[in-house]
Amino acid sequence: MSDTPQYREVKHLHLPEIDREILAFWNENQIFDKSISTREGNPTFVFFEGPPSTNGLPGIHHVMGRTIKDLFCRYQTLKGKQVSRKGGWDTHGLPIELNVEKSLGIRKDDIGVKISVEDYNKHCRQDAMRYIDIWNDVTEKMGYWVDMDNPYITYENEYIESLWWLLQQFYSKGLLYKGYSIQPYSPAAGTGLSSHEVNQPGCYREITDTTVVAMFKVINNTKSAFLFDDEQEDLRILAWTTTPWTLPSNTALTVGPKINYVKIKTTNPYTHQKVSVVLAESLVEKWFGAKNQPSIDEQSPTFTGKQLQNITYEQLLPFGNDIEPLDGATDAFRVILGDFVTTEDGTGVVHTAPSFGADDRKAARTAGIGTLTLVDKQGKFIDTVGEFSGRYVKDYLDDPSYVSVDVDIAVRLKLDNKALNVQKYEHNYPHCWRTDKPILYYPLDSWFIAASKYRDRMSELNQTINWKPATTGEGRFQNWLENIQDWNLSRSRYWGCPLPIWRTTDSSSEICIGSLAQLQTEIDKANRILGLNQTMPPDLHRPYIDNITLVSDEGEPMQRELDLIDVWFDSGAVPYAQWHYPFENKELIDDKKGFPADFIAEGVDQTRGWFYTLHAISVMLFDSVAYKNVVSNGLLLDEKGVKMSKRLGNVVDPFVAMDKYGADTVRWYIISNSNPWDNLKFSWKKEWNEDKTEVIREYSLGMEEVRNKFLGTLYNTYSFFALYANIDGFNYSQPEVPLANRPEIDRWILSLLNSLVKKVDAYYATYDATPAARLIQEFVSDHLSNWYVRLCRRRFWKGDMGVDKLSAYQTLYRCLEVVCQLASPIAPFITDFIFRNLNNTSQLHAAESVHLSQFPVANDLAIDAALEERMMLAQTASSLVLALRKKADIKVRQPLQKILVPVLNEQQQTQFEQIEKLILAEVNVKEIQFVSDTSGIVTKSIKPDLKKLGKKLGGKMKAVTTALAAFSQEDIKTIEQGSYNFNIDGETITVLLDEVLITSEDIKGWMVNSDKGVTVALDVNITPELAQEGIARELINRLQNLRKTSNFNVTDRINVQLEQNELIANVIENTALHQYICSEVLADSLTAVPHLPQTANTIDINEVVLGVVVTVSSAK
RNA sequence: AGGCUUGUAGCUCAGCUGGUUAGAUCACUACACUGAUAAUGUAGGGGCCGGCGGUUCGAGUCCGCCCAAGCCUACCA
């Protein structure tokens, strides 16, 4: 034993324990802080944390998202970048409000009645941070490095102040305006609903409505003349609706410009009057000609929707109301065009009521059509709708005597010869989740950001963003941008960022506040002019902010617009508000030091959420992208591919998973299993007790595989190294053995290692972590552990520290060290554990943690493709021989004399000769013999090289392939001269040697096996000498096992006494074998004795049982 | 309804610009190997590569249509 520090050895690997130890080390030594401070002055890598909401518990999917964020930040740190990561919490939003309402047992309309806004918001503020401790805990345990000590919190005044500043920017650019939009509205509750609320489970329900095909009478003028056969013709356009109550408010009919329409002459089934009607050609059959349907008396040639444009018609249900202007337009009762029109159902003509449909309103706007809003906010007709005045359009009051207004309108239309068809229709319709009543779509005033004005610029800048996967950016996000609508910011709620706009009651004056200082000035001004005594509210939320009255230039009081803003604005403003920009940290944004982000990551469901709001704000206000690279990850599903939900009990608790397998295992499993953007079926089984009330066991086969195959193997490789390096006192203080002086196998694994560094670096750099993880895993498990270490074992424990042994240590050391660096972004714990154990002894790195080291640089000179190919050959050949041994039922421990390898040329032979020793050692054979075809015992086979021949021959391929398959050995000899002429259908085709593939398949009279172009034959004769040697090796194996089970030290020398037996007598009396055995098992003596005590161990060699006593030798 | 993604062995995934008999892991069975191993080797079973059509000498791969699952968006009248 030497005096050098020892590599640490841990008997049984327990990953969660390593986690704890490394976490403690990180904390004590502030490794995270150092990973930033040691990069001071280097180029920065900017990362934004998408804030999670802490009012729910963290799930395993959060671990996934954060692993992705963490690993690329760690990688960039290794590459020398300075990566600061500010944490943050999302604290506003509907889920928090709903949670509070649920726990208090109240409803929205109770706010301000049963509970004050003040108290309500207090509850929200608490709820927002409800699980903050658990979140901090999961963040630490999973090894996610993000600054949790100074997070941004969206409810703080400073954050809100930044939001106000941004809003003021929009306002002063004329991009923030108040306007109407059609929104889901609940007349029963008297409130608008967010799409979130409408999409709650159970809101869409099957209901039966009265539908009407209404007939709109066409006015005969120059536009429409082509439709009329004569002046008297009664010509009508058909339009279908499921909401007849919107018919009095009709102001237009929308047709598809490319849809074909026809005119049908028929008879109205209700009035029996002759009438001509216009509808889409493909929908004629739906309404006409069949039994119980109106007849088709005559059908016109088709005309397109475009031709119908601007034809005017008589108002269907005129009650003398003035057309309300829409963007100033008051035109009405005209056919307009709309791309949204389909021929799926209805008549291919959409009855358009711009006040009650978003599409309607959009189409009407572009066509310059006005609107009619004949229903009020209580859901009843206003007083000027004739017989329908004052009637509720749906039963909003639970009135037992309620009569459907839809039915009455249908009846009226039938009587007036204005309906062609009236029937019941079942369809899905959204309902208010609070009142269970059908919602209606209604124009409500809201504050908007004019995002549509920046549609082109947003698309343009999006093309400079690197999306992972690319299709999300090019497809989903790009499409979204191209159809972007103005952003509705208004929310009529209580807990959120208040809109900083004050208005006079007549809306003649307004002010948008952009800072606390400005608010203070305005408060002072109002106090002075209005004689008030207001002070700055300590909290910018409602209700305090609502109580502030400001004053207009004209001296009129102004009140705040009561709206809150969309929480998505909170998160879209992260780049600026997290730094309290522009009130602090101005240079971060203005000098582009902390903006835009180099990298962000979030779930793909955020495409229209965070990804969009970040983009929109930065493009509109800063004419910049907000992020240069973005990874959008898919969902985590349970084992069966079902979305995880608490209700189904199929959620995986991240704490349980990490406690059981360690954070590295969870992280590695998630990254290596599938690309982040593909949905991941999370391997996790739960076994329940009989009553199904308690989980008795939960486990993950997938994670066990990761642990056993990768992390465990990596650790074992290290532990193998440590065992012998400690014995030999290897501490890397000796000079580096030059590459040229290292044996073939060392140069091989180093070649692979350097190739690996290059590939992994490239994958990380392009945000492709999954292939990087798979390559690292393959290297460790298949190449390093299973081939390099297995073949080199002896080099570590045999002999003195010569060049060969030193080379082995240095090579394995480097492999372990570099692998740890490469894998550390994904598996930060075990890699730091191993790296530090290595480095503590060798002191090769100044860095005290793998995470503070520099990413390894590949040495191109060490990469040798020919060598890598040769080693593949050795592995293949060894496999083939092992398979042959198995077939002949000869154990590997039994030495055999020789293998035969047919070679086609000298080059191939040279290649084999370089790896000869490795193969022989691996398969326990004494010699290798090469046979060339001149010996006449090698059988060859021939195949076409399809890539080359396919292009040349085309249709003649099949014939040539068949001919080649029938080739004799003689034919192959012929083509080996250079070429061969085929006669196919009387045509001569010349195939060159270059265009076929020749392999040696068989050797006459031998057991042969071949694969991947390699063929080997095995001599299976066991001579008495070989048999004896076989027994010697069996004996060695048993003695080694005894050493192990007796817990001897690896270096202990022993004395061996064997029970006398014929089987072994010859072996131990053979001087060479005797010495061989002793040197292998470190025996000072090996003797056969007639009798052994009862307590002796027994061993079994070739079914012979004999006693053995092994004792530690006192002679040292 | 539209956009996007996915569909290969019982499971989880590879399969590069079309090329010969479609691979790996896990799980199962048997036998080996082990002086690091929760490792590994050999052998075995297991596949209408979601379906149909097309292009081609040749399709898991390219094209079209369809089916299924998922996500996002949508008042489809």
Side-chain angles (χ1 to χ4, degrees), chain A residues 228-343:
Chain A
F228 286 86
D229 290 343
D230 56 74
E231 292 287 322
Q232 272 68 49
E233 188 173 4
D234 183 8
L235 179 67
R236 314 223 176 190
I237 296 174
L238 299 183
W240 181 64
T241 179
T242 56
T243 52
W245 59 267
T246 60
L247 285 172
S249 303
N250 171 282
T251 55
L253 292 172
T254 309
V255 296
K258 287 177 193 155
I259 297 172
N260 284 326
Y261 294 87
V262 291
K263 182 180 80 175
I264 298 283
K265 288 196 177 174
T266 187
T267 310
N268 184 329
Y270 302 120
T271 60
H272 308 292
Q273 293 182 28
K274 289 278 177 200
V275 65
S276 300
V277 297
V278 170
L279 76 164
E281 181 188 22
S282 57
L283 288 161
V284 169
E285 284 181 17
K286 188 183 170 85
W287 302 104
F288 296 97
K291 207 165 72 174
N292 298 327
Q293 282 186 343
S295 59
I296 306 173
D297 299 340
E298 200 181 313
Q299 181 166 341
S300 76
T302 65
F303 37 89
T304 63
K306 187 112 208 323
Q307 288 174 272
L308 295 173
Q309 187 179 14
N310 291 332
I311 285 175
T312 50
Y313 60 88
E314 291 177 10
Q315 187 177 10
L316 189 74
L317 291 163
F319 296 103
N321 294 289
D322 290 338
I323 301 293
E324 306 154 25
L326 197 57
D327 284 353
T330 54
D331 196 12
F333 317 125
R334 173 150 68 78
V335 177
I336 61 177
L337 302 180
D339 287 325
F340 64 94
V341 180
T342 68
T343 52

Side-chain angles (χ1 to χ4, degrees), chain A residues 685-939:
Chain A
K685 280 201 162 64
K686 286 185 187 180
E687 284 174 13
W688 299 79
N689 64 354
E690 280 179 23
D691 318 337
K692 295 245 170 194
T693 50
E694 211 183 319
V695 177
I696 49 173
R697 196 163 90 92
E698 32 191 336
Y699 61 99
S700 162
L701 291 175
M703 275 191 270
E704 279 170 18
E705 194 179 330
V706 163
R707 187 190 58 188
N708 296 353
K709 268 205 71 152
F710 175 61
L711 299 174
T713 305
L714 176 63
Y715 175 75
N716 283 324
T717 308
Y718 161 76
S719 128
F720 169 84
F721 168 84
L723 176 66
Y724 293 107
N726 283 338
I727 291 169
D728 284 320
F730 171 77
N731 61 3
Y732 224 115
S733 56
Q734 299 91 334
E736 200 83 47
V737 177
L739 204 57
N741 296 354
R742 298 198 190 195
E744 175 105 345
I745 194 161
D746 287 5
R747 283 186 285 115
W748 167 74
I749 194 78
L750 289 171
S751 174
L752 282 188
L753 182 73
N754 280 284
S755 304
L756 180 74
V757 168
K758 269 189 149 173
K759 290 181 202 158
V760 168
D761 196 7
Y763 277 127
Y764 278 149
T766 52
Y767 301 90
D768 269 323
T770 302
R774 286 174 179 168
L775 284 177
I776 295 169
Q777 184 166 335
E778 188 192 3
F779 176 83
V780 168
S781 167
D782 294 355
H783 302 306
L784 186 61
S785 167
N786 186 41
W787 190 252
Y788 180 77
V789 173
R790 194 155 56 91
L791 263 58
C792 291
R793 233 175 294 160
R794 292 177 70 82
R795 298 172 62 200
F796 290 88
W797 58 272
K798 267 285 187 184
D800 299 324
M801 187 66 97
V803 172
D804 180 73
K805 195 168 193 176
L806 186 60
S807 174
Y809 275 124
Q810 291 184 343
T811 303
L812 182 52
Y813 183 101
R814 281 297 176 197
C815 288
L816 286 167
E817 175 195 84
V818 169
V819 161
C820 282
Q821 289 178 293
L822 295 181
S824 68
I826 307 174
F829 294 99
I830 184 82
T831 54
D832 208 17
F833 179 80
I834 296 175
F835 180 89
R836 290 182 54 237
N837 288 345
L838 292 173
N839 202 43
N840 283 346
T841 303
S842 73
Q843 302 291 335
L844 287 187
H845 290 264
E848 59 188 310
S849 158
V850 71
H851 304 292
L852 302 179
S853 70
Q854 296 289 326
F855 199 84
V857 179
N859 174 11
D860 280 325
L861 296 175
I863 297 175
D864 182 344
L867 176 57
E868 291 185 20
E869 195 186 319
R870 275 206 295 281
M871 199 58 73
M872 287 267 291
L873 201 64
Q875 288 173 339
T876 311
S878 301
S879 287
L880 291 172
V881 175
L882 291 172
L884 283 172
R885 296 190 77 115
K886 167 77 190 158
K887 207 178 274 175
D889 203 19
I890 301 171
K891 298 184 176 189
V892 179
R893 227 176 268 127
Q894 173 62 57
L896 290 173
Q897 192 55 43
K898 76 177 170 192
I899 52 180
L900 246 57
V901 175
V903 286
L904 296 166
N905 50 45
E906 271 187 33
Q907 189 202 341
Q908 207 183 7
Q909 180 163 343
T910 319
Q911 206 179 16
F912 260 107
E913 278 165 354
Q914 287 170 288
I915 49 171
E916 189 179 320
K917 280 195 184 128
L918 290 175
I919 300 173
L920 292 177
E922 174 67 5
V923 300
N924 195 15
V925 173
K926 297 210 170 298
E927 57 177 311
I928 192 164
Q929 189 183 329
F930 300 102
V931 279
S932 64
D933 54 349
T934 49
S935 63
I937 58 166
V938 178
T939 315

Side-chain angles (χ1 to χ4, degrees), chain A residues 12-273:
Chain A
H12 286 286
L13 178 65
H14 187 63
L15 288 167
E17 212 152 281
I18 306 268
D19 288 359
R20 283 190 281 277
E21 187 186 316
I22 294 294
L23 272 180
F25 162 73
W26 288 349
N27 283 336
E28 277 163 31
N29 297 279
Q30 295 157 335
I31 301 299
F32 174 41
D33 291 343
K34 286 180 189 165
S35 81
I36 297 165
S37 61
T38 56
R39 267 65 177 167
E40 191 62 54
N42 290 12
T44 57
F45 180 80
V46 181
F47 166 76
F48 297 152
E49 162 78 333
S53 174
T54 58
N55 81 317
L57 287 167
I60 196 80
H61 55 286
H62 294 108
V63 174
M64 169 165 164
R66 301 171 126 217
T67 299
I68 293 163
K69 296 175 185 182
D70 189 52
L71 83 92
F72 291 114
C73 289
R74 283 182 190 263
Y75 163 72
Q76 293 292 345
T77 302
L78 292 179
K79 294 294 280 185
K81 298 270 180 68
Q82 188 178 34
V83 191
S84 55
R85 297 95 125 172
K86 195 176 179 65
W89 304 113
D90 184 16
T91 57
H92 287 146
L94 192 67
I96 292 168
E97 296 194 19
L98 294 177
N99 225 354
V100 164
E101 284 155 33
K102 203 172 149 196
S103 63
L104 295 179
I106 59 164
R107 307 191 331 169
K108 266 251 155 38
D109 18 1
D110 293 331
I111 302 164
V113 183
K114 286 188 187 163
I115 182 171
S116 68
V117 173
E118 189 173 1
D119 286 342
Y120 176 81
N121 273 358
K122 254 182 208 154
H123 279 102
C124 287
R125 183 180 283 262
Q126 277 167 15
D127 190 75
M129 290 302 212
R130 183 151 60 143
Y131 297 120
I132 183 86
D133 293 341
I134 297 177
W135 274 90
N136 281 328
D137 194 28
V138 82
T139 303
E140 174 163 75
K141 283 206 172 117
M142 67 164 289
Y144 178 38
W145 275 1
V146 64
D147 183 359
M148 286 296 168
D149 298 331
N150 309 292
Y152 62 90
I153 300 171
T154 57
Y155 66 47
E156 288 182 340
N157 279 356
E158 292 187 345
Y159 199 93
I160 291 175
E161 189 182 22
S162 287
L163 297 182
W164 281 7
W165 182 84
L166 291 168
L167 289 166
Q168 194 189 47
Q169 294 298 303
F170 280 109
Y171 185 84
S172 57
K173 288 185 170 206
L175 296 171
L176 183 60
Y177 68 92
K178 192 172 193 176
Y180 279 88
S181 79
I182 307 298
Q183 293 165 44
Y185 176 79
S186 170
T191 174
L193 300 172
S194 68
S195 57
H196 181 106
E197 287 166 298
V198 174
N199 282 323
Q200 287 197 343
C203 284
Y204 274 85
R205 288 181 214 157
E206 277 294 303
I207 54 163
T208 306
D209 271 324
T210 303
T211 68
V212 176
V213 175
M215 303 201 296
F216 294 82
K217 191 171 170 65
V218 176
I219 294 168
N220 189 347
N221 56 23
T222 47
K223 287 267 182 218
S224 61
F226 76 97
L227 287 171
F228 286 86
D229 290 343
D230 56 74
E231 292 287 322
Q232 272 68 49
E233 188 173 4
D234 183 8
L235 179 67
R236 314 223 176 190
I237 296 174
L238 299 183
W240 181 64
T241 179
T242 56
T243 52
W245 59 267
T246 60
L247 285 172
S249 303
N250 171 282
T251 55
L253 292 172
T254 309
V255 296
K258 287 177 193 155
I259 297 172
N260 284 326
Y261 294 87
V262 291
K263 182 180 80 175
I264 298 283
K265 288 196 177 174
T266 187
T267 310
N268 184 329
Y270 302 120
T271 60
H272 308 292
Q273 293 182 28

Side-chain angles (χ1 to χ4, degrees), chain A residues 280-527:
Chain A
E281 181 188 22
S282 57
L283 288 161
V284 169
E285 284 181 17
K286 188 183 170 85
W287 302 104
F288 296 97
K291 207 165 72 174
N292 298 327
Q293 282 186 343
S295 59
I296 306 173
D297 299 340
E298 200 181 313
Q299 181 166 341
S300 76
T302 65
F303 37 89
T304 63
K306 187 112 208 323
Q307 288 174 272
L308 295 173
Q309 187 179 14
N310 291 332
I311 285 175
T312 50
Y313 60 88
E314 291 177 10
Q315 187 177 10
L316 189 74
L317 291 163
F319 296 103
N321 294 289
D322 290 338
I323 301 293
E324 306 154 25
L326 197 57
D327 284 353
T330 54
D331 196 12
F333 317 125
R334 173 150 68 78
V335 177
I336 61 177
L337 302 180
D339 287 325
F340 64 94
V341 180
T342 68
T343 52
E344 293 285 312
D345 46 25
T347 61
V349 180
V350 176
H351 139 64
T352 302
S355 284
F356 303 105
D359 279 341
D360 299 29
R361 197 174 189 85
K362 202 175 130 198
R365 260 217 179 102
T366 12
I369 294 284
T371 186
L372 282 169
T373 312
L374 302 183
V375 174
D376 66 14
K377 279 194 173 180
Q378 280 78 52
K380 63 179 191 326
F381 279 112
I382 58 174
D383 293 339
T384 55
V385 196
E387 66 206 79
F388 305 114
S389 297
R391 291 186 56 185
Y392 283 88
V393 301
K394 298 282 164 185
D395 180 20
Y396 291 118
L397 302 179
D398 280 325
D399 179 355
S401 59
Y402 177 79
V403 177
S404 167
V405 100
D406 286 338
V407 172
D408 287 351
I409 289 172
V411 169
R412 162 80 184 269
L413 292 174
K414 278 187 193 173
L415 294 173
D416 291 356
N417 192 28
K418 288 175 180 167
L420 184 95
N421 178 290
V422 173
Q423 62 186 37
K424 298 284 182 193
Y425 180 75
E426 234 179 65
H427 64 150
N428 253 329
Y429 198 82
H431 289 65
C432 171
W433 60 280
R434 281 157 47 197
T435 62
D436 285 340
K437 296 292 179 193
I439 61 155
L440 50 90
Y441 291 86
Y442 201 85
L444 300 172
D445 52 352
S446 294
W447 286 89
F448 289 89
I449 287 179
S452 57
K453 288 193 180 161
Y454 281 79
R455 188 176 293 147
D456 295 342
R457 188 61 182 148
M458 282 197 228
S459 298
E460 204 171 67
L461 285 174
N462 177 44
Q463 326 230 337
T464 69
I465 297 172
N466 174 38
W467 281 84
K468 282 297 198 181
T471 45
T472 298
E474 290 158 7
R476 188 185 280 223
F477 196 60
Q478 185 66 27
N479 291 342
W480 165 256
L481 291 177
E482 280 164 12
N483 293 306
I484 209 66
Q485 304 296 312
D486 285 354
W487 180 0
N488 185 349
L489 275 187
S490 294
R491 297 293 182 271
S492 347
R493 285 201 275 266
Y494 301 93
W495 177 241
C497 172
L499 190 68
I501 293 177
W502 275 258
R503 271 190 166 190
T504 53
T505 36
D506 62 359
S507 302
S508 60
S509 287
E510 64 184 27
I511 185 170
C512 180
I513 300 290
S515 70
L516 295 186
Q518 188 191 5
L519 181 60
Q520 183 67 61
T521 312
E522 292 300 325
I523 287 174
D524 291 345
K525 183 177 157 196
N527 284 351

